[in-house]
Amino acid sequence: MTPKLDATASPSFAEAAAADATRGWIVAEDVFDPGRIHSTETLFVVGNGMLGTRGTFEEGHTGEWRATLVHGIFDDRQWAVTELAAVPDWTAFELDLAGERFTLESGETLHYRRTLDLRDGRLSRSVRWRSPAGRVWDLAFERFASLADPHLLCGRVTVTPVDSSGKVEVAAPIEPRPLTDGMDHWRSVATVAESGVAGLLVETLASRAQVAVVQRLSVSGAEASGAGAVDAAGRPAARVAWKAAAGQAACVTKVAAIGTSRETETPLQDATALLAVTPQDWDALVDANAAAWRRRWAVCDVIVEGDEEAQLAVRYCVFQLLISAPRNDERVSIGAKTLSGFGYRGHVFWDTETFMLPFFTFVQPELARNLLSYRWHLLDAARANAAGGGFEGARFPWESAMTGQEVTPPFLPDGSDPPKLIKIWTRDTSVHIGADVAFAVHQYWQISGDDDFMAQRGAEILFGTARFYASRAEWNEAAGRYEYTNVTGPDEYHEHVANNAFTSYLAAWNLRTAADVADWLGGARPEARVPGAPTAAERRSWRDMAAAIYLPRDPKTGLMEQFDGFFGLRNVDQATYAGRTQSMQALLGLEDVPRTQILKQPDVLMLAFMMPGLFSRDELARLDAYYTPRTDLEYGSSLGPGIQAILSCEVGDTEAAYGHFMRAARADLRDVRGNARDGIHGASAGAIWQAVVFGFAGLRADDEGWSVEPRLPEHWTRVAFRFSHRGEFKQVDIRRLPGVTSGVA
Amino acid sequence: MTPKLDATASPSFAEAAAADATRGWIVAEDVFDPGRIHSTETLFVVGNGMLGTRGTFEEGHTGEWRATLVHGIFDDRQWAVTELAAVPDWTAFELDLAGERFTLESGETLHYRRTLDLRDGRLSRSVRWRSPAGRVWDLAFERFASLADPHLLCGRVTVTPVDSSGKVEVAAPIEPRPLTDGMDHWRSVATVAESGVAGLLVETLASRAQVAVVQRLSVSGAEASGAGAVDAAGRPAARVAWKAAAGQAACVTKVAAIGTSRETETPLQDATALLAVTPQDWDALVDANAAAWRRRWAVCDVIVEGDEEAQLAVRYCVFQLLISAPRNDERVSIGAKTLSGFGYRGHVFWDTETFMLPFFTFVQPELARNLLSYRWHLLDAARANAAGGGFEGARFPWESAMTGQEVTPPFLPDGSDPPKLIKIWTRDTSVHIGADVAFAVHQYWQISGDDDFMAQRGAEILFGTARFYASRAEWNEAAGRYEYTNVTGPDEYHEHVANNAFTSYLAAWNLRTAADVADWLGGARPEARVPGAPTAAERRSWRDMAAAIYLPRDPKTGLMEQFDGFFGLRNVDQATYAGRTQSMQALLGLEDVPRTQILKQPDVLMLAFMMPGLFSRDELARLDAYYTPRTDLEYGSSLGPGIQAILSCEVGDTEAAYGHFMRAARADLRDVRGNARDGIHGASAGAIWQAVVFGFAGLRADDEGWSVEPRLPEHWTRVAFRFSHRGEFKQVDIRRLPGVTSGVA
């Protein structure tokens, strides 16, 4: 006879009873596959905008990549410059069940289910386990990083002996030296183990950032004995124990608090004080968190009907953006892999401004302002970066961390022959980053109407990046035009090219827009003294220069050429490589792929996406027909498919758009690119939101107004979302009614 | 009242009673300075030729670099190619003394003394500790890695409550994921915790090398309770406890066994079996180890009288060479930092053949044969290395590990600006390594008379390296000579030079000697079929080439020039930098130092050292007068001072020789170069032996005979040592008698 699980003790089981309420909100896994351990750790990340915690098991597992990553806690790493350092973990539960240590690596797993509830970011796992000695236990784990107070981290485990009785001992140790991709970054400063509170204060070895984690346990459903906190060799642990009887569930609640030197000079004291005033009341903690999430979803949700996978995917992407964005800190930004993995070591790329920021600009403008302010705070470093290369103005680094210095590794080891190093050129040649930031500033200004931000911070960014582009341009006397040579556009398969259309056009846009903003400032804020504001003569020269920047076009076809000479490269038919599981770069080799027309991601089409009025629909259709078959959307950059979906919508090919969209939607949920282990594809998540809103719903907005032009996939019956336009929330609700194409409420 | 410690329980105290027997044998420390923690960890390394264990404390310490390094256990490391991976530590003792955890970081240390007894490699530490609660404890720790069976590792701790009674709990955990310079290399394969045996089997992440460590505890002097082994979260530990009464000493003995996949397919089973048959009898283990050491010292000791510091230093260096040299394994060799630290990641340089090997060749020829065989086993990789650069023959890598591939990191981070990388050119241009190996082979052959080795292995090395030098030489038609351009000699401050005298002369020597050995083979072993043996024509061409290789000499002074153009470089007076604490390279900068005549270490003088007949005494005196003031002996290469001491002896300046000698002698014992933290200066240790034997005693030996020409420092009254010459041990005993200069027995 199998005893029934108590639904209140194991809330993940309550889900079935309310299938309608949870439909499209639950990411679930019914079998644990150790071969996919790292990608599912990413999949089940929890977070709250201050930190992210990978979905490793409370009890641990061989080979796991356990990590909690906190915004701004960087430390030096030999060779790789600087990285987010995984902080001491708050999730551990060691279970001693009648003398046997619980782990999925021993005994037999009779039942397993893991769910992430996107409504409130709660991760649950229920396990029925037969121990090596043959005793059966039901275990239910839950955890969440509170959105109500991001310093509060909550977990619990419910233990039910099914067919025996015995002593249960639960320990919750805190590891003082967690590893980051195998590397230690920490020294212990202090440990706490008294009055039931276990905690520690640690400090990074080089950057001297401090993090405190403190926690306490409580038991319900049983008479606890042996409760307390111990310091075992610098690894403090809270512990409880009880005598469990067959069929009787008991529950251990853990409340943990975190403090960092980024917010306070006394992280340990502050975390301890927070823990002291926080009631050990699970329901109250859950309710506060759920209420904060409800407020968030009320404006951020995107409803897709007629396609359950797409519905779940778009919510999953919005969830990932929300748990990654700093709410109370404008000196950090979102890394390419968010706070969910070691990939790119927490560094910030153009991914943030170009791919993720539109979601925030349209839906959470106060967070967009934080993220843009991160760049403003680092303008001095960008100016130094420009000056170091012999240029004027401000040059944002290709990879950015805390200081704004360039932190792109200059070399990376060649995977096939590690003693060899591959030179990473993006730090030198990917100069479009400045215009990408400027573009995001301008879009935020247009959509939010936040003139104060533009006057106080945004304009300074635009002036700095414009001045860089002015000094980086080269005058070609023979052709009578400005050129940008030795650059790399979005398509990183082609480095060191001249007259990359994307880079050149965005530079020209930046020069023109900076002059326009200077004009606006002069009229609207005559008192403003913006550092680096251009003189009237400079404005004129920026506009003249913008008009004289060369954009390559093929005289025969009128097609815009990605860069000088692209049309003369070898054409490779990707169809002949159907079924491949590697990028075209891996197949053709680092040296050959630049000699072909294979793109890592859209480049001219990326320009078309950012500048919707630049090409006519006809021109766009011709560009799409030319460039899309040449783009490695499958295994090239994960930045590609979401944007490609929008372009396919623009040219009226909704079926193709849906294909690209689902490829992006599955990057993390199904790990279709095989690299979800390294962390969430943050840019792809942002592109998914854009694909639904700008692509399928066809939203266009500027400072004067907005419109939608729906082109839903055949089987979608509804798309609904909200967005903020110049301080007011708007609602779009597109329904496919029998005989009706679309309607907007 | 302070109870007396029982001398048998704490043998380190026995030392005072036998001061005469221990004089010149004990390295001692009476105060622990946490600021020098890492250099003293190196200082107090123990080992046995299979492994080395740094002198970290049994109970641990914040910031420690705990490491046991085992020959051949390499793993990949991102960027830095491959490194010796620290294996699970066998030394830990966690002491819970009446409820208080012992650590030198809490309470008060009333007495502290640590000694390393070079006679048998036993490390002892006695501590009197007042706990935070005010209880006083006497603790005595001992450990050694057995030389009788290198798989046996022994430790014990004696615990005496001085003024109170209470429960003592001792745990000996084994950490499954030890860090190597902050990096994790391990996955757990299995743990053992039964019948009092705690152990584990771990595997390196990339190279899949397996290491097993198993151990058991026993107690004497008390009635133990709670003995056993537990597996705490994959960290197995043996544990014992007892009720201790004031003044009563009890002693916990640990015996550990290690097994590796380099020796067996079943390391865990083999280690467990060894542990099972090893009696838990401390005295027997100590005696077996001491007997093995006595046999070693009987031939290896060097006696210096009249200078206690020098006496201790030379024994310390011999000890370091002995615990680093593999006895039962000819596929590994000694890294630049032996098995004592993370410096150079366990890689093997010319340090081994040129600086350390003479000690083994003269005193432990069977170990010299092992070390030279390491190179012979890697000849195929050396041939591939030559072919990869477009050359013939065999080119040994500048840094070597398990496979014989070049493992010099191609770049290293610039310490002052980590994103910048410094290109490491030695892998490309330091081509003298092949001749260094060939020279060591030839010296071993001459001194040992081991014709079998030369016929079966040595000749193949000489032929391979000779053929490389033949193909690497460039014919200068105008000058009618062979040249070597773009090379780096021993002095690494000058890279990419042409006609480096050291490199060119050794290449010529190698070509000539290879031809001679081929002749010898034809006569002595006509049946031998040595791969790569030169034809008669090739022998002729090697000899012709050797005669035509250019060695730069200044026509005016007759001085040999270090390389083309050296005499034209800027002369910098090092005296004006007196009192510096950095290398001249650090002071002048990476870019400027090559423009000066400052040397990192002897170069032309190094050639003079290796080829004693090459220069007359007069020439040598002029070279010494010219080059020595230009050499950064203080903070340049640690390879310099020991060799410089020998040259100063040759030119009759014993006082200068003694200064250089003591600088080398203090590299680790006093950390005068400030980098002992990274590990023992293995080459310097070898040079110290050479400085006493070849320098002060003036030993000269070849295949025909030997002689000594003593020139002891003024205050030395005796130098005595043994060496093996063509299968017979010789004894040299030089005494300064009143009115007598020297005598040889």
Side-chain angles (χ1 to χ4, degrees):
Chain A
M1 191 203 78
T2 308
K4 263 195 90 186
L5 271 169
D6 177 356
T8 57
S10 177
S12 58
F13 281 83
E15 147 204 341
D20 276 359
T22 60
R23 196 185 299 277
W25 287 104
I26 308 291
V27 178
E29 173 188 70
D30 286 308
V31 174
F32 169 60
D33 175 1
R36 301 193 310 125
I37 183 170
H38 297 135
S39 63
T40 56
E41 286 168 7
T42 298
L43 182 67
F44 289 109
V45 63
V46 299
N48 59 18
M50 174 181 175
L51 56 80
T53 298
R54 286 171 64 81
T56 45
F57 295 148
E58 284 76 2
E59 71 278 10
H61 193 285
T62 302
E64 67 182 4
W65 290 353
R66 190 174 276 258
T68 291
L69 299 167
V70 181
H71 266 310
I73 303 298
F74 282 93
D75 192 39
D76 295 353
R77 182 185 177 106
Q78 205 191 3
W79 302 96
V81 185
T82 186
E83 71 180 353
L84 277 183
V87 307
D89 171 54
W90 57 277
T91 67
F93 274 129
E94 293 175 0
L95 305 182
D96 193 305
L97 307 176
E100 295 179 282
R101 170 62 72 89
F102 166 66
T103 153
L104 289 181
E105 297 170 87
S106 66
E108 196 182 345
T109 304
L110 306 175
H111 164 86
Y112 172 93
R113 183 169 166 83
R114 179 156 59 163
T115 58
L116 175 64
D117 191 331
L118 302 175
R119 290 173 301 175
D120 62 359
R122 246 196 300 179
L123 180 64
S124 305
R125 177 168 54 119
S126 64
V127 172
R128 172 161 289 189
W129 182 63
R130 177 151 45 216
S131 76
R135 284 183 286 265
V136 176
W137 299 81
D138 279 339
L139 302 167
F141 299 90
E142 291 164 87
R143 72 169 78 147
F144 62 93
S146 179
L147 196 68
D149 182 337
H151 304 91
L152 282 179
L153 309 164
C154 309
R156 73 168 170 173
V157 56
T158 305
V159 181
T160 315
V162 173
D163 55 5
S164 63
S165 298
K167 190 175 181 191
V168 174
E169 296 179 309
V170 177
I174 310 176
E175 169 57 45
R177 298 176 73 183
L179 300 180
T180 305
D181 187 24
M183 176 67 82
D184 174 36
H185 282 294
W186 298 100
R187 78 166 65 83
S188 272
V189 178
T191 54
V192 175
E194 55 184 17
S195 312
V197 174
L200 47 73
L201 176 66
V202 295
E203 186 175 69
T204 51
L205 294 169
S207 65
R208 298 290 181 102
Q210 290 194 335
V211 173
V213 177
V214 297
Q215 57 179 31
R216 68 162 78 234
L217 301 182
S218 62
V219 180
S220 62
E223 191 76 27
S225 67
V230 296
D231 176 1
R235 188 167 171 261
R239 297 201 293 208
V240 291
W242 68 90
K243 286 231 155 61
Q248 287 194 344
C251 187
V252 181
T253 295
K254 175 201 289 177
V255 181
I258 188 168
T260 82
S261 55
R262 300 202 66 250
E263 297 184 295
T264 166
E265 288 186 359
T266 52
L268 183 58
Q269 289 88 325
D270 287 24
T272 306
L274 174 61
L275 192 63
V277 302
T278 303
Q280 198 84 0
D281 178 340
W282 183 256
D283 291 338
L285 293 162
V286 166
D287 287 349
N289 173 60
W293 273 105
R294 269 194 304 276
R295 287 192 295 278
R296 200 68 61 91
W297 281 118
V299 293
C300 297
D301 191 21
V302 175
I303 293 169
V304 174
E305 290 183 0
D307 189 332
E308 287 201 21
E309 186 179 2
Q311 171 65 85
L312 183 66
V314 67
R315 282 190 178 135
Y316 186 76
C317 290
V318 168
F319 175 83
Q320 293 300 337
L321 294 168
L322 288 174
I323 67 172
S324 307
R327 286 196 89 70
N328 305 311
D329 194 340
E330 61 176 40
R331 288 177 183 266
V332 294
S333 186
I334 308 175
K337 296 288 178 184
T338 71
L339 296 168
S340 60
F342 301 130
Y344 297 114
R345 308 195 181 284
H347 297 178
V348 177
F349 294 69
W350 73 309
D351 301 40
T352 310
E353 282 79 10
T354 307
F355 295 82
M356 304 182 217
L357 229 119
F359 165 76
F360 295 105
T361 291
F362 279 80
V363 183
Q364 296 270 280
E366 68 283 8
L367 300 192
R369 193 188 153 106
N370 277 355
L371 293 166
L372 293 170
S373 292
Y374 163 80
R375 295 288 189 180
W376 178 77
H377 283 295
L378 299 177
L379 267 173
D380 276 347
R383 289 185 189 105
N385 191 25
F391 300 108
E392 296 172 15
R395 176 181 183 178
F396 288 111
W398 183 245
E399 297 187 25
S400 187
M402 281 312 290
T403 64
Q405 279 187 295
E406 179 63 77
V407 292
T408 306
F411 296 84
L412 283 174
D414 182 340
S416 60
D417 186 8
K420 287 209 191 107
L421 295 182
I422 298 168
K423 169 99 174 109
I424 305 301
W425 287 105
T426 45
R427 58 184 291 146
D428 302 302
T429 60
S430 287
V431 296
H432 62 80
I433 174 71
D436 304 328
V437 174
F439 184 91
V441 166
H442 187 256
Q443 187 178 54
Y444 168 76
W445 181 46
Q446 288 214 306
I447 302 305
S448 70
D450 186 349
D451 291 348
D452 285 349
F453 178 81
M454 181 53 94
Q456 291 158 13
R457 300 186 165 181
E460 191 178 348
I461 293 175
L462 265 71
F463 299 157
T465 54
R467 189 165 285 110
F468 168 71
Y469 289 116
S471 77
R472 177 67 161 76
E474 299 147 70
W475 176 247
N476 181 333
E477 184 64 41
R481 66 197 189 198
Y482 283 101
E483 301 188 345
Y484 289 98
T485 62
N486 193 24
V487 300
T488 303
D491 163 31
E492 293 173 5
Y493 284 175
H494 297 92
E495 300 170 324
H496 313 294
V497 302
N499 298 311
N500 169 253
F502 180 92
T503 303
S504 297
Y505 192 91
L506 260 78
W509 173 90
N510 194 160
L511 286 162
R512 259 193 318 266
T513 306
D516 293 349
V517 166
D519 289 350
W520 168 80
L521 259 185
R525 305 279 174 116
E527 77 291 354
R529 290 288 167 270
V530 178
T535 63
E538 217 170 358
R539 277 176 242 175
R540 226 174 6 253
S541 100
W542 286 0
R543 287 193 172 100
D544 292 347
M545 187 176 255
I549 288 174
Y550 170 62
L551 294 177
R553 268 178 204 271
D554 181 34
K556 265 184 283 184
T557 58
L559 280 179
M560 185 164 285
E561 191 172 20
Q562 186 176 320
F563 53 79
D564 285 353
F566 179 87
F567 290 145
L569 297 178
R570 192 170 94 239
N571 187 16
V572 172
D573 183 0
Q574 286 197 83
T576 61
Y577 294 86
R580 66 194 163 92
T581 57
Q582 289 183 293
S583 71
M584 290 301 292
Q585 183 180 49
L587 289 169
L588 298 176
L590 277 177
E591 302 202 347
D592 192 43
V593 83
R595 301 188 195 115
T596 75
Q597 291 184 342
I598 298 290
L599 276 59
K600 188 179 178 188
Q601 67 188 84
D603 196 302
V604 172
L605 290 176
M606 187 74 202
L607 176 60
F609 156 70
M610 289 179 73
M611 302 288 167
L614 182 59
F615 302 104
S616 70
R617 288 257 157 131
D618 276 0
E619 277 181 302
L620 193 58
R622 276 185 290 129
L623 289 170
D624 178 59
Y626 185 84
Y627 283 109
T628 303
R630 289 168 168 79
T631 309
D632 183 358
L633 291 159
E634 219 166 336
Y635 292 100
S637 170
S638 67
L639 277 54
I643 300 303
Q644 189 71 43
I646 299 170
L647 290 158
S648 294
C649 286
E650 287 293 307
V651 301
D653 189 348
T654 310
E655 197 181 326
Y658 183 71
H660 299 311
F661 174 82
M662 288 310 291
R663 193 189 303 287
R666 291 167 179 164
D668 296 309
L669 282 170
R670 295 203 190 176
D671 191 19
V672 290
R673 313 182 75 86
N675 61 357
R677 61 179 182 271
D678 299 326
I680 291 292
H681 292 84
S684 180
I688 280 288
W689 183 88
Q690 296 194 60
V692 173
V693 170
F694 302 143
F696 297 125
L699 178 69
R700 288 283 169 270
D702 60 20
D703 56 336
E704 296 185 342
W706 62 278
S707 65
V708 292
E709 182 192 349
R711 45 248 172 149
L712 306 195
E714 198 67 36
H715 61 295
W716 288 20
T717 55
R718 184 184 177 204
V719 165
F721 58 89
R722 292 182 168 80
F723 71 95
S724 172
H725 189 256
R726 302 189 76 81
E728 268 180 37
F729 263 95
K730 311 292 179 188
Q731 179 162 328
V732 174
D733 196 338
I734 302 163
R735 291 166 190 264
R736 188 189 297 279
L737 302 172
V740 178
T741 308
S742 66
V744 179
Chain B
M1 191 206 77
T2 307
K4 263 195 91 189
L5 271 169
D6 177 354
T8 57
S10 178
S12 58
F13 279 85
E15 146 204 343
D20 275 0
T22 60
R23 195 185 300 277
W25 287 105
I26 309 290
V27 178
E29 173 188 71
D30 285 309
V31 174
F32 169 61
D33 174 359
R36 301 194 308 125
I37 183 170
H38 296 137
S39 63
T40 55
E41 287 168 7
T42 298
L43 183 67
F44 289 109
V45 63
V46 299
N48 59 17
M50 174 182 174
L51 55 81
T53 298
R54 286 172 65 81
T56 44
F57 295 148
E58 284 76 2
E59 71 279 10
H61 194 285
T62 302
E64 66 182 2
W65 292 350
R66 189 174 276 257
T68 291
L69 299 168
V70 180
H71 266 310
I73 304 297
F74 282 92
D75 193 38
D76 295 353
R77 183 184 177 105
Q78 207 190 2
W79 303 97
V81 187
T82 187
E83 72 180 352
L84 277 183
V87 307
D89 172 54
W90 57 276
T91 66
F93 275 127
E94 294 175 359
L95 305 180
D96 192 305
L97 306 175
E100 296 180 282
R101 168 63 71 93
F102 166 67
T103 152
L104 290 180
E105 297 170 86
S106 66
E108 196 182 345
T109 303
L110 306 175
H111 164 85
Y112 172 94
R113 182 168 168 83
R114 179 157 58 163
T115 58
L116 174 64
D117 190 331
L118 302 175
R119 290 172 303 174
D120 61 359
R122 247 195 299 178
L123 181 64
S124 306
R125 178 167 55 116
S126 63
V127 172
R128 171 162 288 189
W129 181 63
R130 176 149 47 215
S131 75
R135 284 182 286 264
V136 176
W137 300 81
D138 278 341
L139 302 167
F141 299 90
E142 292 165 87
R143 72 168 78 145
F144 62 93
S146 179
L147 196 67
D149 182 337
H151 305 91
L152 282 179
L153 309 164
C154 309
R156 73 168 170 174
V157 57
T158 305
V159 181
T160 314
V162 173
D163 55 5
S164 63
S165 299
K167 189 175 181 191
V168 173
E169 295 178 311
V170 177
I174 311 176
E175 169 57 45
R177 298 176 72 183
L179 300 181
T180 304
D181 187 22
M183 176 67 81
D184 174 36
H185 282 294
W186 299 100
R187 77 166 66 83
S188 272
V189 178
T191 55
V192 175
E194 55 183 17
S195 313
V197 174
L200 47 72
L201 176 66
V202 295
E203 185 176 70
T204 51
L205 294 170
S207 66
R208 299 290 181 102
Q210 290 194 335
V211 173
V213 177
V214 296
Q215 58 179 30
R216 68 162 78 235
L217 301 182
S218 62
V219 181
S220 61
E223 190 77 27
S225 67
V230 295
D231 176 3
R235 189 166 171 262
R239 298 201 293 208
V240 292
W242 69 89
K243 287 231 153 60
Q248 288 194 340
C251 187
V252 180
T253 295
K254 175 201 289 178
V255 181
I258 188 168
T260 80
S261 55
R262 301 202 65 250
E263 295 184 295
T264 165
E265 289 186 0
T266 52
L268 184 57
Q269 289 88 325
D270 288 24
T272 306
L274 174 62
L275 192 64
V277 302
T278 305
Q280 198 84 358
D281 178 340
W282 183 257
D283 291 338
L285 293 162
V286 165
D287 287 350
N289 173 60
W293 273 104
R294 271 194 303 276
R295 286 192 295 277
R296 200 69 61 92
W297 282 118
V299 293
C300 297
D301 191 22
V302 175
I303 293 169
V304 174
E305 290 183 0
D307 188 331
E308 286 202 22
E309 186 180 2
Q311 171 66 83
L312 183 66
V314 66
R315 281 189 178 135
Y316 186 76
C317 290
V318 168
F319 175 82
Q320 293 300 337
L321 294 168
L322 289 174
I323 67 171
S324 307
R327 285 196 89 70
N328 305 311
D329 193 338
E330 60 176 41
R331 287 177 184 268
V332 294
S333 186
I334 308 175
K337 296 289 178 183
T338 70
L339 296 168
S340 61
F342 301 130
Y344 298 113
R345 308 196 181 283
H347 296 180
V348 177
F349 295 68
W350 73 309
D351 301 40
T352 310
E353 280 79 10
T354 307
F355 295 81
M356 304 182 216
L357 229 119
F359 164 77
F360 295 105
T361 291
F362 279 80
V363 183
Q364 297 270 280
E366 67 283 10
L367 299 192
R369 194 187 154 107
N370 278 355
L371 294 166
L372 293 170
S373 292
Y374 163 79
R375 295 288 190 180
W376 178 77
H377 284 295
L378 299 177
L379 267 173
D380 276 347
R383 290 185 189 107
N385 191 26
F391 300 108
E392 295 170 17
R395 176 180 183 177
F396 288 112
W398 184 245
E399 297 187 24
S400 187
M402 282 311 290
T403 64
Q405 280 188 292
E406 178 63 78
V407 293
T408 307
F411 296 85
L412 283 173
D414 181 342
S416 61
D417 186 7
K420 287 211 190 103
L421 296 182
I422 299 169
K423 169 100 175 107
I424 305 302
W425 287 105
T426 45
R427 57 183 292 145
D428 301 301
T429 59
S430 286
V431 296
H432 61 81
I433 174 71
D436 304 329
V437 174
F439 184 90
V441 166
H442 186 256
Q443 187 177 55
Y444 168 77
W445 181 47
Q446 288 214 306
I447 302 305
S448 70
D450 187 349
D451 291 347
D452 285 348
F453 179 80
M454 180 54 93
Q456 291 158 15
R457 300 188 164 181
E460 190 178 349
I461 293 176
L462 264 73
F463 299 157
T465 54
R467 189 165 286 111
F468 168 72
Y469 288 116
S471 77
R472 176 68 161 75
E474 300 146 70
W475 176 248
N476 183 331
E477 183 64 42
R481 65 198 190 198
Y482 283 101
E483 300 189 345
Y484 289 98
T485 62
N486 193 25
V487 301
T488 303
D491 162 31
E492 293 173 6
Y493 285 175
H494 297 91
E495 300 169 322
H496 312 293
V497 303
N499 298 311
N500 167 253
F502 180 92
T503 303
S504 297
Y505 191 90
L506 260 77
W509 174 90
N510 194 161
L511 287 162
R512 257 194 320 267
T513 307
D516 293 348
V517 166
D519 289 349
W520 169 80
L521 259 186
R525 305 277 173 119
E527 76 291 356
R529 291 286 166 272
V530 178
T535 61
E538 217 171 359
R539 276 176 242 175
R540 227 174 6 252
S541 99
W542 286 359
R543 287 192 171 100
D544 292 348
M545 187 176 254
I549 288 173
Y550 170 63
L551 293 176
R553 267 179 203 272
D554 181 34
K556 266 186 279 182
T557 59
L559 279 180
M560 186 164 284
E561 191 173 19
Q562 187 175 321
F563 53 80
D564 284 354
F566 179 87
F567 290 146
L569 298 178
R570 192 169 94 241
N571 187 15
V572 172
D573 184 0
Q574 286 197 82
T576 61
Y577 294 86
R580 66 194 163 93
T581 58
Q582 288 183 293
S583 70
M584 290 301 292
Q585 183 181 49
L587 289 170
L588 298 176
L590 277 178
E591 301 201 348
D592 192 43
V593 83
R595 300 188 196 115
T596 74
Q597 291 184 343
I598 298 291
L599 275 59
K600 187 178 178 190
Q601 68 188 85
D603 197 302
V604 172
L605 290 176
M606 187 73 203
L607 176 61
F609 157 70
M610 288 178 74
M611 302 286 167
L614 182 59
F615 302 105
S616 69
R617 288 255 158 131
D618 276 0
E619 278 180 300
L620 193 59
R622 276 186 290 131
L623 289 170
D624 178 60
Y626 184 84
Y627 283 110
T628 304
R630 289 167 167 80
T631 308
D632 183 358
L633 291 160
E634 219 166 335
Y635 292 100
S637 170
S638 66
L639 276 53
I643 300 303
Q644 189 72 42
I646 299 170
L647 290 158
S648 294
C649 285
E650 288 293 307
V651 302
D653 190 347
T654 309
E655 197 181 325
Y658 184 72
H660 300 310
F661 174 82
M662 288 311 290
R663 193 189 302 288
R666 291 167 178 164
D668 296 309
L669 282 171
R670 295 203 190 176
D671 191 18
V672 290
R673 312 183 76 86
N675 61 358
R677 61 178 181 273
D678 299 326
I680 290 292
H681 293 82
S684 180
I688 280 290
W689 183 89
Q690 295 193 61
V692 174
V693 170
F694 302 143
F696 297 125
L699 177 69
R700 288 285 170 271
D702 58 21
D703 55 337
E704 297 186 340
W706 61 278
S707 65
V708 292
E709 181 191 351
R711 45 246 174 152
L712 306 195
E714 197 68 34
H715 61 294
W716 288 20
T717 55
R718 183 184 178 204
V719 165
F721 57 90
R722 292 183 168 81
F723 71 95
S724 172
H725 187 257
R726 302 189 75 80
E728 268 180 36
F729 262 96
K730 312 290 179 189
Q731 178 162 327
V732 174
D733 196 340
I734 302 162
R735 291 165 191 265
R736 190 189 294 280
L737 302 172
V740 179
T741 306
S742 65
V744 178

